Amino acid sequence: MNGVGHPAGYTEITFTKIALTAAALAFGALPAMAETLKVGSTPTGVPFTFLDVSSGEITGMMVDVVKAIGDKAGFEADVQSTDWVSLLPALQSGRIDIISAAMSITEKRKEVVDFSDPIFPYGEGLVVRADDDTMYTAGLTETAGKTIGVQQGTKYLTDLETLEGIGDIKVYENIADIMKEVELGRIDVGFADQPIMAYQIGQGKFPELKMAEGYEQQFVAPLGLAIAKEQPELLERINTGLAELKESGELDALIAKWNLD
């Protein structure tokens, strides 16, 4: 003890600080520490999730969405670059807590993960060379004798495999590779996410390509955030935050920011 009855090394100032801190905590004056959740997002899904080479960070519409939901739901989104085929295994193994990517809500995926409420309507499209005037239909029988590129691990690959009388299927790691192959003439048709391919063409990145004329989407499913099964509290927090984004108009603003409206 020191000369004034306080433990050695302590002063009146020290005790004043302790008292003020305790009071602040009691009355909620200090902000609570935000929970940090790991979010898996792909580096090649422009404009939904992609690597910004200038910052070295993953950005995009779905990154903005999960961060905005986190602000309302009380967690900080630690966005981590994750290849498409690794998203579900990473979630199921606990390496990430949330998937925020161009991932559609499907019945098959709902067997292994839980999804948030829908965020954005989503469907497939066909990309072809600009000089291809074929009018493609939903059955894709016009691709007979041609080669169709599709991304591995997507529902589109499964969808294609159910069709008869179509061309040969060739599988690629990402959409950018599919579009490059069509542009180079190595394959004839790219079958992938319509919003991503249309955005890329609109940005002038593939001047020799266009979206196929006449094709009508047949495998439409909305995007949502995915979490591991048996986490009802987290799912409720996410859906509540998402509802607030929709109600306030913030979600519409993010969609417009990325030219998806």
Side-chain angles (χ1 to χ4, degrees):
M1 301 290 287
N2 64 19
V4 292
H6 295 154
Y10 281 68
T11 66
E12 293 291 348
I13 295 176
T14 302
F15 277 97
T16 299
K17 288 181 178 179
I18 293 173
L20 289 173
T21 299
L25 288 171
F27 289 98
L30 292 181
M33 294 294 290
E35 177 185 12
T36 299
L37 297 181
K38 296 178 181 178
V39 178
S41 297
T42 58
T44 56
V46 177
F48 292 94
T49 61
F50 63 98
L51 178 65
D52 181 346
V53 293
S54 62
S55 67
E57 297 181 351
I58 301 295
T59 188
M61 195 273 278
M62 289 297 289
V63 173
D64 286 351
V65 167
V66 74
K67 288 182 176 180
I69 290 174
D71 288 342
K72 298 185 181 300
F75 66 82
E76 180 180 349
D78 176 15
V79 180
Q80 304 183 356
S81 177
T82 311
D83 291 336
W84 177 264
V85 294
S86 301
L87 284 172
L88 289 175
L91 184 65
Q92 292 174 308
S93 66
R95 296 197 302 276
I96 59 175
D97 303 295
I98 300 173
I99 294 173
S100 185
M103 180 172 284
S104 298
I105 301 171
T106 66
E107 292 304 316
K108 185 174 181 179
R109 288 179 181 144
K110 285 166 67 174
E111 294 176 3
V112 293
V113 301
D114 284 333
F115 280 100
S116 70
D117 292 333
I119 294 172
F120 185 80
Y122 209 79
E124 86 287 359
L126 300 185
V127 67
V128 296
R129 288 185 57 82
D131 58 1
D132 184 346
D133 295 325
T134 304
M135 297 295 289
Y136 291 92
T137 59
L140 295 180
T141 53
E142 299 82 7
T143 64
K146 300 180 180 181
T147 302
I148 311 170
V150 64
Q151 187 180 7
Q152 64 180 337
T154 64
K155 76 183 192 72
Y156 302 132
L157 176 56
T158 305
D159 295 336
L160 281 181
E161 291 172 340
T162 66
L163 299 179
E164 297 181 358
I166 66 172
D168 295 329
I169 299 171
K170 189 171 182 179
V171 180
Y172 292 88
E173 184 175 342
N174 57 63
I175 294 173
D177 287 346
I178 294 171
M179 298 181 77
K180 288 176 186 174
E181 292 286 275
V182 176
E183 192 168 52
L184 292 171
R186 293 174 179 161
I187 60 175
D188 302 289
V189 178
F191 186 78
D193 302 316
Q194 189 275 340
I196 291 178
M197 295 192 296
Y199 181 88
Q200 295 272 30
I201 291 172
Q203 295 293 304
K205 294 186 177 180
F206 294 94
E208 302 299 322
L209 301 183
K210 67 177 182 180
M211 300 307 299
E213 299 176 11
Y215 181 77
E216 295 184 4
Q217 294 177 334
Q218 56 181 325
F219 303 111
V220 178
L223 301 186
L225 302 184
I227 65 171
K229 288 282 191 181
E230 309 300 331
Q231 297 189 85
E233 292 183 3
L234 176 58
L235 186 60
E236 182 179 358
R237 288 166 60 194
I238 288 173
N239 281 335
T240 299
L242 176 57
E244 290 181 26
L245 285 186
K246 291 178 178 179
E247 199 171 308
S248 67
E250 291 173 77
L251 179 59
D252 288 337
L254 291 177
I255 291 171
K257 170 186 172 181
W258 292 100
N259 299 314
L260 291 165
D261 53 351

